[in-house]
Amino acid sequence: VKPVDLENLDPIFKPKNMAVIGVSLKNPLFPGTIIYNKNLHEYPVNVYAVNERGGKIEGNPVYSKLEDIPAELDLAVLIIKAKYVPAALRNCGEAGVKCCIVVSGGFAEMGANGKKLEDELIEISNQYSLPFMGPNCIGIHSNYVDTFILPSERLATPFPGNVAVVSQSGGVLIDQILSKFYERQIGVAAAASIGNKALINEITLLNYFDKISEVDTIVFYNEGFKQNAGKAFIQLAQTSKKDIILLKGGKSKFGAQAAKSHTAAIATNFNLISSSFKQAGIIEAITEVELVTFTKAISFGLSGIPNGNIAILSISGGHAVLAADLCAYYKLNLVKLTDEQRQILKDNLNPSAAEIASFDNPIDLTGSVIDKDIEDCLELLLSFDSIEGIVILLVPYVPTITMQIGRRLSNIVRNSTIKKPVVAYLPWLAIYGIIIKGLELGKSIPVAHTVEEAIQMMHSLYLKGLKNKKKN
Amino acid sequence: VKPVDLENLDPIFKPKNMAVIGVSLKNPLFPGTIIYNKNLHEYPVNVYAVNERGGKIEGNPVYSKLEDIPAELDLAVLIIKAKYVPAALRNCGEAGVKCCIVVSGGFAEMGANGKKLEDELIEISNQYSLPFMGPNCIGIHSNYVDTFILPSERLATPFPGNVAVVSQSGGVLIDQILSKFYERQIGVAAAASIGNKALINEITLLNYFDKISEVDTIVFYNEGFKQNAGKAFIQLAQTSKKDIILLKGGKSKFGAQAAKSHTAAIATNFNLISSSFKQAGIIEAITEVELVTFTKAISFGLSGIPNGNIAILSISGGHAVLAADLCAYYKLNLVKLTDEQRQILKDNLNPSAAEIASFDNPIDLTGSVIDKDIEDCLELLLSFDSIEGIVILLVPYVPTITMQIGRRLSNIVRNSTIKKPVVAYLPWLAIYGIIIKGLELGKSIPVAHTVEEAIQMMHSLYLKGLKNKKKN
């Protein structure tokens, strides 16, 4: 038997027709019923409910046999007791279903007997050339379909966008990644919880998303690779055309123990794997917050800054101090400006600000500026060759700064012939929404919620720059 | 001349009558006019506008002389050109004003001549026994008055509460501290920007807030102490009955340079001062985010955990892994549970969860729980002697968990005879507002927005515990 072909996963992420095998006719909070109703009412996919007893759910037919469904099925979601899964999977193969997601738990994560059952699934999959995701996963989300076994109204559904997410943990995927992406308006093309990753794993999905034009940035949460999979993943990452961001769970002694009982992940020498990631151009996030800020900056398509040479442009002295304190830790270098450059900056500032501003880097224009001062300063900094990237620290309560400052700075960046990454700090509060929207127009300047997050964004561009540095 | 008495600052923070010296009759965005209008319309204080030309602002009288004001003035805010400040301050002394805030810049921060002018202010202050804050500051905020020179509609006004904030930087105070306190609903009793701190400084305010019953937690942002002031501050902190949290800016090489041009702060050996802080029981935050999470936990009045012995209670395996990874860095110890304790936990869980849950610490009850399972587990963990504090990782999308889970867990903590700190992780999104409000009822369980912030909260209680450990 030839191993199943895992190249084309479109039937999983962009299905036209889908069956949910295992719905409850009575309990609307039964996971299969949640998936059925959610897709019926909220997603473009045509969805069919399957339960051997037949009947109806809220007036819609429940099919007792897969063969009775009047459509060619791209995808079947299996959410039945583990012991019934092999027969159902075989049934999907017979019926010509193109891909499956096995949500059910009770496989390798439960010990030797479960492992045997999981191996049986792989055998069936090869026999029918039927790729499946899982088992023991919560499924996938895309613009076409959502198989997360949880009610939509309890989830923060992400905005559509150019990021793909692959997570070993369903909880971390939904709550730690998608909720936080929603909060910072990071757009998602597809998200997958791969569970026990019997067949479809990080490698399969990196390979798939690498070829999908809708995806520019691929984000992973991983608690450990199976035998040889880590090496293969790193090799594939090296040749990938997309930006790859990864957060590794279970790095510490306590964490590795927890990962072992969670996903049976094998403890790895973290320093070793971390340096392999870097060599492969993988942008590694160390914390959950870094994962979000890195993804925001990288998904804006900002270019890398291989030498970490930056300028900080502030209108508050204290913010400049806080930002400067973070530079060494995040491997960023505050470029020393020449006397001539400092003079040019000063000459372009309004007289009352020029008198009290500081033109050391970090540059503090003070609260005496108007919009035009910040625009001019940004334009000049873009033109200074020694500077690779610019962090703007924008406190929005100075009365002489207008609500248009965001759009005005965004215009400078988009209209400039000099392409350098610019990121901004501004508190993500509802009252500053107009400025945030202005800055982020056309994906020009990503906005960070804390000074540290702004510096983290630049750090991610430094890590991105290292990859291109190696390639050149 | 006897030095001015700085003990009673009530006239600054709780004034009945206040004058704003330096309003514009024409420009509503002139700082003095902003302060006048803001207090007139938004705060209980009676406010009087002063401009030598007299006239009216929006129909309200402008007094040409301080003596014409028909009230006994507790506070005068001076916001006129630096060279006119000494005469105006003397005038306040003659008129019997009790305290002043000098907002005007152009003093010691501008070099030798400015320093001379500042010394003149101190002389006048001593002569009339007239304490003043500043110069070169943005003033204060309390429930009675707000002298921040910025329009209210541009600021996130904090909720009333038991925290006092003292900052060397006005920008950091308003934007980094108060905006973030607002976002996490940390209540503020008083906030002060001390600017050049010619007279009123960190020591004066620590001494004042130590005696004020409304204040339990005192938060500082500092970029450097003047000669001997650091030592005196640390000595006073040692004997303080309140919890003190401090963030130091200008710790790194770049940061110290930036602080020097911002507030002429003198570079200090950071490791040295850091260990002195710890010895004095000062809870030092290393980042802006720690400042917020520490203040949230500490202002809830949670007790310290001197040995850092904690339990983590999760319903998501991935979250447990992320939390465990953070423990070593934050000096927390995941207590090893005895076989008997694990058995008790298991026996109290519903059968389907008990089958798949993990009772290693971190404890992962899995998504198969109902409210009662989490309640029971929390109650048992509170009763285990080896555990000093508990972190609950609560993912809110499991359909069997109700919107009442917050209140239910809060009840357990408040009704328990065993007083141990409990903190929770739950994303601070609007849709989870009911659960957040439930957890935080009666200041029982503070809610953190990220797993790391929850662990940071416990870390602050570990640092708090060290102080009490020393005292015993």
Side-chain angles (χ1 to χ4, degrees):
Chain A
V1 178
K2 212 178 82 183
V4 57
D5 178 8
L6 300 175
E7 284 290 315
N8 180 16
L9 302 179
D10 281 352
I12 289 188
F13 291 99
K14 303 171 185 175
K16 281 203 184 101
N17 301 301
M18 169 175 87
V20 179
I21 302 175
V23 294
S24 162
L25 300 177
K26 288 174 193 162
N27 178 6
L29 285 183
F30 186 80
T33 316
I34 288 173
I35 298 175
Y36 172 68
N37 275 324
K38 169 192 280 197
N39 283 284
L40 186 67
H41 298 299
E42 301 167 37
Y43 287 86
V45 69
N46 298 313
V47 62
Y48 301 92
V50 179
N51 180 314
E52 56 180 11
R53 269 165 286 172
K56 284 186 182 269
I57 294 180
E58 296 174 21
N60 295 300
V62 173
Y63 294 88
S64 58
K65 286 182 207 144
L66 213 51
E67 305 86 87
D68 296 344
I69 293 174
E72 203 177 308
L73 290 170
D74 301 291
L75 176 64
V77 179
L78 283 66
I79 185 155
I80 50 183
K81 282 208 172 119
K83 61 181 175 183
Y84 302 128
V85 171
L89 191 66
R90 184 168 284 118
N91 198 216
C92 288
E94 294 287 347
V97 174
K98 293 189 192 114
C99 283
C100 286
I101 295 174
V102 182
V103 171
S104 319
F107 293 89
E109 83 280 9
M110 298 299 280
N113 282 339
K115 178 72 173 69
K116 222 174 125 186
L117 211 56
E118 192 165 305
D119 289 341
E120 206 178 328
L121 300 189
I122 297 172
E123 214 171 280
I124 297 164
S125 167
N126 287 333
Q127 193 181 335
Y128 290 95
S129 194
L130 173 62
F132 72 91
M133 188 177 282
N136 190 30
C137 68
I138 62 157
I140 64 109
H141 163 89
S142 75
N143 299 323
Y144 306 87
V145 59
D146 183 322
T147 76
F148 292 159
I149 54 169
L150 305 159
S152 296
E153 70 276 13
R154 287 196 176 230
L155 306 179
T157 310
F159 300 87
N162 62 340
V163 177
V165 190
V166 178
S167 173
Q168 194 163 353
S169 158
V172 169
L173 177 63
I174 287 190
D175 177 75
Q176 277 291 305
I177 303 181
L178 299 185
S179 281
K180 305 297 163 70
F181 280 11
Y182 167 80
E183 188 184 26
R184 294 288 168 257
Q185 299 182 10
I186 296 168
V188 172
S193 140
I194 52 180
N196 291 7
K197 44 187 180 182
L199 269 181
I200 294 176
N201 57 22
E202 289 89 351
I203 301 164
T204 330
L205 289 172
L206 174 53
N207 180 54
Y208 174 68
F209 289 128
D210 209 27
K211 292 174 187 154
I212 300 290
S213 65
E214 302 97 301
V215 172
D216 297 313
T217 306
I218 313 171
V219 173
F220 291 90
Y221 171 70
N222 169 281
E223 291 180 1
F225 289 102
K226 291 185 183 175
Q227 196 89 43
N228 298 322
K231 212 172 161 183
F233 175 75
I234 286 168
Q235 275 169 355
L236 190 58
Q238 205 131 23
T239 61
S240 169
K241 295 173 299 293
K242 307 287 169 85
D243 293 313
I244 301 167
I245 301 170
L246 186 142
L247 173 66
K248 176 95 178 61
K251 291 174 293 200
S252 66
K253 197 188 101 196
F254 281 141
Q257 277 169 5
K260 206 178 152 208
S261 56
H262 178 220
T263 47
I266 300 149
T268 33
N269 181 325
F270 178 63
N271 287 333
L272 210 69
I273 202 162
S274 212
S275 85
S276 309
F277 287 156
K278 193 174 275 174
Q279 274 165 33
I282 295 168
I283 299 169
E284 189 188 356
I286 302 300
T287 67
E288 40 179 333
V289 171
E290 280 192 5
L291 189 75
V292 178
T293 52
F294 285 14
T295 305
K296 179 91 194 196
I298 297 291
S299 71
F300 265 48
L302 303 184
S303 51
I305 52 166
N307 305 299
N309 288 334
I310 66 160
I312 294 172
L313 166 53
S314 183
I315 57 171
S316 153
H319 288 70
V321 171
L322 288 172
D325 270 341
L326 294 159
C327 283
Y329 177 78
Y330 285 108
K331 299 196 168 56
L332 299 172
N333 176 41
L334 283 169
V335 176
K336 204 173 157 53
L337 300 183
T338 64
D339 289 347
E340 193 195 358
Q341 287 171 331
R342 294 154 56 106
Q343 193 58 47
I344 296 172
L345 290 172
K346 190 169 182 173
D347 290 345
N348 274 274
L349 206 57
N350 82 64
S352 66
E355 206 182 307
I356 51 172
S358 164
F359 300 99
D360 290 318
N361 188 6
I363 295 151
D364 174 17
L365 298 184
T366 79
S368 297
V369 284
I370 58 170
D371 292 1
K372 189 69 171 64
D373 293 317
I374 308 177
E375 281 182 76
D376 289 347
C377 185
L378 176 60
E379 205 150 20
L380 286 166
L381 291 175
L382 283 169
S383 77
F384 295 165
D385 283 341
S386 56
I387 294 168
E388 293 176 306
I390 299 155
V391 178
I392 303 175
L393 305 176
L394 201 61
V395 289
Y397 46 75
V398 175
T400 48
I401 289 176
T402 77
M403 285 292 130
Q404 278 67 52
I405 185 68
R407 187 186 51 72
R408 293 177 74 154
L409 296 179
S410 162
N411 283 351
I412 297 277
V413 169
R414 278 180 293 158
N415 296 335
S416 174
T417 52
I418 305 157
K419 295 297 166 205
K420 286 180 185 174
V422 179
V423 308
Y425 157 77
L426 188 89
W428 266 83
L429 299 182
I431 49 167
Y432 307 131
I434 290 177
I435 304 179
I436 295 170
K437 191 159 184 186
L439 287 163
E440 296 200 335
L441 278 179
K443 291 200 172 185
S444 40
I445 307 176
V447 177
H449 181 52
T450 65
V451 173
E452 185 165 17
E453 287 174 18
I455 299 296
Q456 283 175 355
M457 283 185 176
M458 268 301 158
H459 178 62
S460 73
L461 300 176
Y462 165 72
L463 295 174
K464 177 171 173 168
L466 289 183
K467 180 173 186 177
N468 297 335
K469 210 176 180 179
K470 245 157 237 148
K471 279 191 174 164
N472 291 341
Chain B
V1 179
K2 214 177 81 183
V4 56
D5 178 9
L6 300 174
E7 284 291 314
N8 180 17
L9 301 180
D10 280 353
I12 289 188
F13 291 100
K14 303 172 185 172
K16 281 203 185 103
N17 301 302
M18 170 174 85
V20 178
I21 301 176
V23 295
S24 161
L25 300 178
K26 290 174 190 164
N27 178 6
L29 285 183
F30 186 80
T33 316
I34 289 173
I35 297 174
Y36 172 69
N37 275 324
K38 170 192 277 194
N39 283 285
L40 185 67
H41 298 300
E42 301 167 37
Y43 287 86
V45 68
N46 299 314
V47 62
Y48 301 91
V50 178
N51 180 314
E52 54 180 10
R53 269 165 287 173
K56 284 185 181 265
I57 293 179
E58 296 174 21
N60 294 302
V62 173
Y63 295 88
S64 56
K65 287 184 208 139
L66 213 52
E67 304 89 87
D68 296 344
I69 295 173
E72 203 178 309
L73 291 170
D74 300 293
L75 176 64
V77 179
L78 282 66
I79 186 157
I80 49 182
K81 283 207 173 116
K83 59 180 173 183
Y84 301 129
V85 172
L89 192 66
R90 183 167 286 120
N91 197 215
C92 288
E94 294 286 347
V97 174
K98 292 191 193 114
C99 283
C100 286
I101 296 175
V102 182
V103 171
S104 318
F107 293 89
E109 84 279 10
M110 298 299 280
N113 281 341
K115 178 73 172 68
K116 223 174 124 187
L117 211 55
E118 194 166 307
D119 287 342
E120 205 179 326
L121 301 189
I122 298 172
E123 214 170 282
I124 297 164
S125 167
N126 287 333
Q127 193 182 335
Y128 290 95
S129 195
L130 173 63
F132 71 92
M133 188 176 282
N136 190 29
C137 69
I138 62 159
I140 66 110
H141 163 90
S142 76
N143 298 323
Y144 306 87
V145 61
D146 184 321
T147 76
F148 292 159
I149 54 168
L150 305 158
S152 295
E153 70 276 13
R154 288 197 175 228
L155 306 178
T157 310
F159 299 87
N162 61 340
V163 177
V165 190
V166 178
S167 173
Q168 194 163 353
S169 158
V172 168
L173 176 64
I174 286 190
D175 177 76
Q176 277 293 304
I177 303 181
L178 299 185
S179 281
K180 304 300 162 67
F181 280 11
Y182 167 81
E183 188 183 25
R184 294 291 168 256
Q185 298 182 11
I186 296 168
V188 171
S193 140
I194 51 179
N196 291 8
K197 44 188 180 181
L199 269 180
I200 294 176
N201 57 21
E202 289 89 352
I203 301 163
T204 330
L205 289 171
L206 174 52
N207 180 55
Y208 174 68
F209 289 128
D210 209 28
K211 292 173 187 155
I212 300 290
S213 64
E214 302 97 300
V215 172
D216 296 315
T217 306
I218 312 171
V219 173
F220 291 91
Y221 170 71
N222 169 282
E223 291 181 1
F225 289 102
K226 291 185 183 175
Q227 196 89 41
N228 297 321
K231 211 171 163 185
F233 175 76
I234 287 168
Q235 274 170 355
L236 189 58
Q238 206 132 21
T239 60
S240 169
K241 296 172 298 293
K242 308 287 169 82
D243 292 313
I244 300 168
I245 301 170
L246 186 143
L247 173 65
K248 175 93 178 62
K251 290 175 293 201
S252 67
K253 196 187 101 198
F254 282 142
Q257 277 168 4
K260 206 180 152 208
S261 55
H262 178 221
T263 47
I266 301 148
T268 32
N269 181 326
F270 179 62
N271 287 334
L272 209 70
I273 202 163
S274 213
S275 86
S276 308
F277 287 156
K278 194 174 274 173
Q279 275 167 32
I282 295 169
I283 299 169
E284 190 189 356
I286 303 300
T287 66
E288 40 180 330
V289 171
E290 279 191 6
L291 188 75
V292 178
T293 52
F294 285 14
T295 306
K296 179 92 192 195
I298 297 292
S299 71
F300 265 49
L302 303 184
S303 51
I305 52 166
N307 304 299
N309 289 334
I310 66 161
I312 293 172
L313 165 54
S314 183
I315 58 171
S316 154
H319 287 70
V321 171
L322 288 173
D325 270 340
L326 293 161
C327 283
Y329 176 78
Y330 286 107
K331 299 197 167 55
L332 299 171
N333 175 41
L334 283 168
V335 176
K336 205 173 155 54
L337 300 182
T338 65
D339 289 346
E340 194 196 356
Q341 287 172 330
R342 295 153 56 104
Q343 194 58 47
I344 297 172
L345 289 172
K346 189 169 183 171
D347 290 346
N348 275 274
L349 207 56
N350 82 65
S352 66
E355 207 180 306
I356 51 173
S358 164
F359 301 99
D360 290 317
N361 189 6
I363 296 151
D364 174 17
L365 299 183
T366 80
S368 297
V369 285
I370 57 168
D371 291 359
K372 189 71 171 65
D373 293 317
I374 308 177
E375 280 181 77
D376 289 347
C377 186
L378 176 61
E379 204 149 20
L380 285 166
L381 291 175
L382 283 169
S383 76
F384 294 167
D385 283 340
S386 56
I387 294 168
E388 293 175 305
I390 298 155
V391 178
I392 304 175
L393 305 175
L394 201 60
V395 289
Y397 45 75
V398 175
T400 47
I401 290 177
T402 76
M403 285 292 129
Q404 279 66 54
I405 185 68
R407 188 185 53 71
R408 293 176 74 154
L409 296 179
S410 162
N411 283 351
I412 298 277
V413 170
R414 278 178 294 158
N415 297 335
S416 175
T417 53
I418 305 158
K419 295 298 164 205
K420 286 180 185 175
V422 179
V423 307
Y425 157 76
L426 189 90
W428 266 83
L429 298 181
I431 49 170
Y432 307 131
I434 290 176
I435 304 179
I436 295 169
K437 190 162 182 182
L439 287 164
E440 296 201 334
L441 278 178
K443 292 200 170 183
S444 41
I445 306 177
V447 176
H449 181 53
T450 67
V451 174
E452 185 165 17
E453 288 173 17
I455 299 296
Q456 283 175 355
M457 283 182 176
M458 268 301 160
H459 177 62
S460 72
L461 300 176
Y462 165 71
L463 294 176
K464 177 172 173 168
L466 289 183
K467 180 175 185 174
N468 298 333
K469 210 177 183 180
K470 245 156 241 153
K471 279 192 177 165
N472 292 340

